[in-house]
Amino acid sequence: ECPVCGGKVEIQKDNETNVLVCMNDNCQGKLLGKLSHAVSKNALNIEGLSEATLEYLIYVDWVTCLKDLFKLHLHKSEWEQLSGFGKKSVEKLLNEIELKRNTTLERFLYAQSINLIGRTASKQISMFCNGSIDEFCKVMSDGDAKMFLMIDGFGDTMYQSLVDWFDKHWIEFLELKQEFNFITETQQKKMNGINLNGATFC
């Protein structure tokens, strides 16, 4: 049984590795793992939200899902009074969370902790959909996810895992995406580039 919630556990395959997984969807241990992954560098990259901080936010019941991270400003005054935080650190964290509302489809997908859909698969799916969250949602809602089988290395088990996950979490996914501003690959290049209009080189 799960050492955190006492729920039933099962062995599942994850990238050719057997892992022991708690089957309780409401397990706080699983929630902490998902949130830690979601805020990590290769996902949403929300700096400063350590595992200890996330664990505390779960403990005080301010965070029950990923979407709740973007509602933490509602607890700002209470948070600033908590031992170990303070006004400056809380403001810094809230500003960082707001900043990371600007993200890409690739990062957003990877942050969902979908079984077998890792960083590479998330990037490939994003490229297939031209970095558009709307295009991705259309493919999924129209039942056209088999299109992703055209992606090199994207097999039947990955396809089934993706479909199963969205069948279960579709409403949650749609609600979560409303919290973000999605940057396409073209926009990202413009943001990362330097405007050289009018410059002279010799």
Side-chain angles (χ1 to χ4, degrees):
E1 63 179 35
C2 175
V4 177
C5 70
K8 181 183 177 182
V9 295
E10 289 184 4
I11 295 175
Q12 294 184 354
K13 185 76 76 175
D14 183 11
N15 289 327
E16 303 305 318
T17 302
N18 287 327
V19 293
L20 201 59
V21 179
C22 175
M23 304 309 292
N24 176 16
D25 289 339
N26 297 315
C27 175
Q28 289 194 344
K30 287 178 70 175
L31 175 60
L32 178 60
K34 289 177 180 178
L35 292 176
S36 295
H37 170 77
V39 304
S40 65
K41 184 176 181 179
N42 292 323
L44 298 178
N45 192 25
I46 302 178
E47 297 180 14
L49 273 180
S50 66
E51 186 170 301
T53 299
L54 289 170
E55 188 172 14
Y56 193 84
L57 293 173
I58 293 170
Y59 173 75
V60 295
D61 207 30
W62 291 349
V63 176
T64 60
C65 62
L66 180 54
K67 183 181 177 182
D68 285 345
L69 290 180
F70 298 90
K71 305 292 184 184
L72 283 172
H73 60 277
L74 299 175
H75 302 284
K76 184 175 184 291
S77 58
E78 299 168 83
W79 198 359
E80 291 172 348
Q81 304 303 316
L82 294 176
S83 176
F85 291 100
K87 187 175 181 179
K88 285 187 177 180
S89 61
V90 170
E91 285 184 351
K92 186 177 180 180
L93 277 172
L94 290 175
N95 288 337
E96 174 68 10
I97 290 170
E98 286 300 309
L99 183 65
K100 295 307 164 64
R101 285 182 185 271
N102 298 310
T103 192
T104 61
L105 175 59
E106 174 189 340
R107 285 182 175 275
F108 187 72
L109 284 178
Y110 183 55
Q112 304 308 310
S113 296
I114 306 171
N115 190 35
L116 301 180
I117 308 299
R119 191 179 175 193
T120 299
S122 298
K123 183 175 183 178
Q124 290 174 322
I125 291 171
S126 178
M127 291 174 64
F128 193 89
C129 296
N130 300 308
S132 169
I133 185 70
D134 293 329
E135 192 169 329
F136 174 77
C137 288
K138 186 177 186 305
V139 169
M140 297 303 296
S141 61
D142 289 348
D144 294 331
K146 281 195 173 181
M147 293 171 61
F148 296 137
L149 291 171
M150 298 167 59
I151 298 173
D152 185 35
F154 197 98
D156 291 332
T157 53
M158 294 172 70
Y159 157 77
Q160 196 58 55
S161 178
L162 180 65
V163 170
D164 290 345
W165 193 92
F166 278 95
D167 282 346
K168 189 174 183 179
H169 300 282
W170 183 240
I171 295 176
E172 177 187 335
F173 181 84
L174 290 179
E175 290 178 349
L176 179 62
K177 83 179 185 70
Q178 300 303 318
E179 301 293 335
F180 290 84
N181 304 308
F182 288 91
I183 306 165
T184 63
E185 186 177 345
T186 302
Q187 290 172 322
Q188 187 73 51
K189 287 180 178 178
K190 286 181 179 179
M191 289 172 66
N192 292 339
I194 301 173
N195 186 0
L196 299 178
N197 289 339
T200 302
F201 294 87
C202 60

